[in-house]
Amino acid sequence: MQTQPITNTNGLLININDNGRKAIFIICIAFCISPFASPAIALLLGLVIAQFTGHPYLHLNHKATHLLLQVSVVGLGFGMNVHSAMQAGKESILFTIASISGTLIFGYFMGRWLNIEKKTSFLISSGTAICGGSAIAAISPVIKAEEKQISVALGCVFVLNSVALFIFPLIGHHLNMSQTQFGLWCAIAIHDTSSVIGAASKYGPHALEVATTVKLARALWIIPVTFMATYLFKNQSKKVSIPYFIGLFILAMIANTYIPAISIVSPYLTGIAKAGLTLTLFLIGAGLSRKVLASVGFKPLLQGVVLWIVISTAALYAVMHLA
């Protein structure tokens, strides 16, 4: 007779007191900022924590991941060169415009076909098209999305981010993609900035530079898409959230390129930034509880998966044959 795992009232697979949960969580954080942890391992460890012992500081998780991601991205700017970044940005502009507009249009019609609630569908499409959780967080107050709609969209995006972090490097190596090709593909086809950087950093330093630059350029599209959302959902009262940390990233990149003293300490700053991003992925994984996963539902998840497969496949073809 097969036994079932014992769960407590919160749906966790291990029943442990609060102090024990906090101790385990702190040990995991220490491991994630050590040289032994990779982005993929940190994300997987977070998922394990979410299912088995639970996140003891879940109420702080969203703010922590948001701030940590922004600080870490700025830190990565100290390891990049302005001229290389500008070249990567020029090469990706047509891919960016085509992929964002195509994803939003296809997502709209797919949402209607599946009869998904309009705001949920738009949040999933926007998160897929631009930059995952950041786009959802910026657009949701403008369209007056409810907590349930936001949770569904975020859950869908973060689940697919987790999958991408593991399979994209495998596909890239199998197809013998160059670092430039892989970095561009990651930036277009992976939703969240943290997962883009995590996947690209496993592939190589130039892939990381291309992916970060192109992804942050895409993130600026939050602004016009948010303005478009105010028109579509007829809400003129909300302010548009501008991602100011991108400006700090550009300043860090300029400082690294033109100030010799900065280039001396830049390896240490980028090392800290990469550890911060690894920790960010752990926190994202730790926030994907059973409740979050169960809240997504079949139709929104189907929309997210199909959108992601279409944009990933189209971007892969374009990068391999046109870039």
Side-chain angles (χ1 to χ4, degrees):
M1 183 177 177
Q2 193 174 24
T3 59
Q4 298 295 323
I6 299 174
T7 60
N8 59 23
T9 55
N10 293 319
L12 302 174
L13 293 174
I14 296 179
N15 197 355
I16 190 171
N17 64 40
D18 193 49
N19 288 333
R21 291 168 62 219
K22 289 179 180 179
I24 292 172
F25 194 80
I26 291 170
I27 291 170
C28 290
I29 287 178
F31 171 74
C32 289
I33 61 176
S34 74
F36 305 105
S38 68
I41 291 175
L43 179 63
L44 181 60
L45 184 59
L47 289 168
V48 170
I49 288 293
Q51 310 312 315
F52 282 82
T53 61
H55 192 329
Y57 306 103
L58 190 59
H59 60 291
L60 302 174
N61 201 59
H62 176 70
K63 289 184 178 180
T65 54
H66 185 69
L67 178 61
L68 190 57
L69 174 62
Q70 292 185 344
V71 172
S72 299
V73 166
V74 173
L76 286 178
F78 289 104
M80 297 184 183
N81 182 278
V82 168
H83 308 294
S84 300
M86 289 180 64
Q87 183 61 33
K90 289 178 182 178
E91 292 175 352
S92 67
I93 184 66
L94 292 179
F95 290 117
T96 298
I97 295 172
S99 61
I100 290 176
S101 58
T103 302
L104 290 172
I105 293 169
F106 183 62
Y108 168 76
F109 285 107
M110 191 173 182
R112 289 193 62 179
W113 178 61
L114 291 172
N115 197 28
I116 299 172
E117 200 283 325
K118 186 178 179 181
K119 292 181 180 180
T120 301
S121 176
F122 187 76
L123 289 176
I124 293 172
S125 300
S126 301
T128 304
I130 308 173
C131 55
S134 299
I136 293 170
I139 292 170
S140 54
V142 172
I143 66 174
K144 296 183 178 179
E146 299 174 2
E147 185 177 349
K148 170 74 173 179
Q149 295 164 334
I150 298 169
S151 297
V152 167
L154 286 173
C156 180
V157 163
F158 285 141
V159 167
L160 296 179
N161 271 333
S162 304
V163 176
L165 187 59
F166 289 100
I167 68 171
F168 267 55
L170 297 176
I171 295 173
H173 286 300
H174 178 72
L175 297 177
N176 295 315
M177 297 176 73
S178 68
Q179 290 199 32
T180 299
Q181 289 174 325
F182 186 79
L184 185 55
W185 184 43
C186 280
I188 295 173
I190 301 180
H191 309 72
D192 221 54
T193 304
S194 55
S195 293
V196 169
I197 294 172
S201 65
K202 292 176 62 178
Y203 208 79
H206 185 61
L208 175 62
E209 182 173 349
V210 172
T212 305
T213 304
V214 174
K215 191 63 179 178
L216 292 181
R218 288 176 71 86
L220 291 172
W221 282 78
I222 290 176
I223 300 169
V225 171
T226 304
F227 278 117
M228 181 183 72
T230 63
Y231 172 76
L232 292 175
F233 292 88
K234 295 179 173 57
N235 177 25
Q236 305 297 328
S237 61
K238 291 289 184 178
K239 294 182 179 179
V240 175
S241 178
I242 300 174
Y244 293 105
F245 75 98
I246 297 176
L248 295 176
F249 167 82
I250 294 171
L251 290 176
M253 193 163 48
I254 292 171
N256 181 62
T257 305
Y258 296 108
I259 302 176
I262 295 294
S263 62
I264 296 173
V265 299
S266 62
Y268 303 101
L269 295 174
T270 53
I272 294 171
K274 288 178 181 179
L277 284 163
T278 302
L279 180 56
T280 301
L281 287 165
F282 166 74
L283 294 175
I284 289 172
L288 291 175
S289 64
R290 288 188 173 195
K291 182 179 179 181
V292 172
L293 296 176
S295 71
V296 174
F298 175 73
K299 285 186 178 181
L301 183 60
L302 179 61
Q303 181 190 14
V305 169
V306 173
L307 274 177
W308 182 51
I309 291 174
V310 169
I311 187 64
S312 299
T313 304
L316 179 60
Y317 178 84
V319 167
M320 294 291 287
H321 295 89
L322 303 177

